[in-house]
Amino acid sequence: MVIITPKTKIGVLLESYPGLESVLISMSPAFAKLKNPVLRKTVARVASIQQIAAVGGLNADEIVNRLRKEVGQTTGEEESSESENLSADIPAWFDEMKIVIRFDASPVINSGGSPMIDILNRTKEMNPGEIFELMTPFVPAPIIDMLKSKGFKVYTRSGDQNVMSYISK
């Protein structure tokens, strides 16, 4: 199974999920070129979602979330409706003054990387009561689940264009 990120190559995406071709085409007329067999064999092999977003005049994160939703992968929108990882109420342990680390993982995620090891290393060094602020383009469900299994408290809320997760020992 291919995890859909902004760096996912269109060719790999469509090989794994052929039904997404019509979804992409519906998002922008520029994507209709994906039906061309020559372009499909050449450009789609090297073009990422992030690159075609620029061509189609769309936001890469919106494309990723739409495609992830179509194939049943976790998206910020799904998490909001399920409320499993997004918190409605601010927990008693949360205090902005206790934030000791702020980390924007969006550049790492958008470049196709995984910030998980960096996050785990940084949270390992925290003292009880300290808070780690994590910014991501969508709910980082696998990271949240892993941190909770290690005994961390996590509070997650939607920001304007991102998701903020607060992690405490």
Side-chain angles (χ1 to χ4, degrees):
M1 180 172 95
V2 173
I3 302 297
I4 302 170
T5 71
K7 290 294 180 185
T8 302
K9 301 296 183 199
I10 299 303
V12 171
L13 175 78
L14 295 178
E15 283 173 13
S16 299
Y17 305 104
L20 291 181
E21 178 182 331
S22 61
V23 175
L24 281 170
I25 292 169
S26 74
M27 295 178 82
S28 173
F31 301 157
K33 296 174 184 168
L34 290 171
K35 288 191 174 277
N36 179 321
V38 174
L39 287 177
R40 183 74 166 261
K41 287 185 179 185
T42 56
V43 176
R45 298 277 176 226
V46 296
S48 67
I49 291 173
Q50 189 169 19
Q51 292 165 329
I52 69 156
V55 170
L58 300 170
N59 177 294
D61 291 335
E62 290 173 10
I63 294 174
V64 168
N65 281 335
R66 170 87 184 274
L67 296 175
R68 290 175 67 108
K69 185 176 181 181
E70 290 288 330
V71 299
Q73 292 181 13
T74 304
T75 70
E77 293 167 9
E78 282 181 356
E79 293 302 327
S80 291
S81 64
E82 292 176 7
S83 300
E84 186 176 317
N85 286 317
L86 288 178
S87 307
D89 299 321
I90 298 172
W93 58 263
F94 179 75
D95 180 351
E96 292 254 356
M97 300 302 290
K98 293 182 179 179
I99 296 173
V100 295
I101 304 169
R102 295 180 192 271
F103 179 56
D104 182 356
S106 299
V108 175
I109 293 168
N110 291 339
S111 69
S114 171
M116 190 173 299
I117 292 172
D118 195 23
I119 292 166
L120 292 175
N121 287 337
R122 290 179 185 215
T123 54
K124 233 190 299 189
E125 304 299 318
M126 292 172 50
N127 294 314
E130 293 180 333
I131 298 175
F132 176 95
E133 179 185 74
L134 173 63
M135 184 186 315
T136 53
F138 49 83
V139 175
I143 293 170
I144 290 171
D145 292 343
M146 183 174 288
L147 289 168
K148 284 181 176 178
S149 75
K150 293 181 178 292
F152 287 89
K153 297 176 275 191
V154 182
Y155 162 52
T156 303
R157 65 181 181 198
S158 288
D160 291 334
Q161 305 237 335
N162 48 48
V163 173
M164 305 302 294
S165 298
Y166 301 93
I167 301 140
S168 181
K169 267 192 174 175

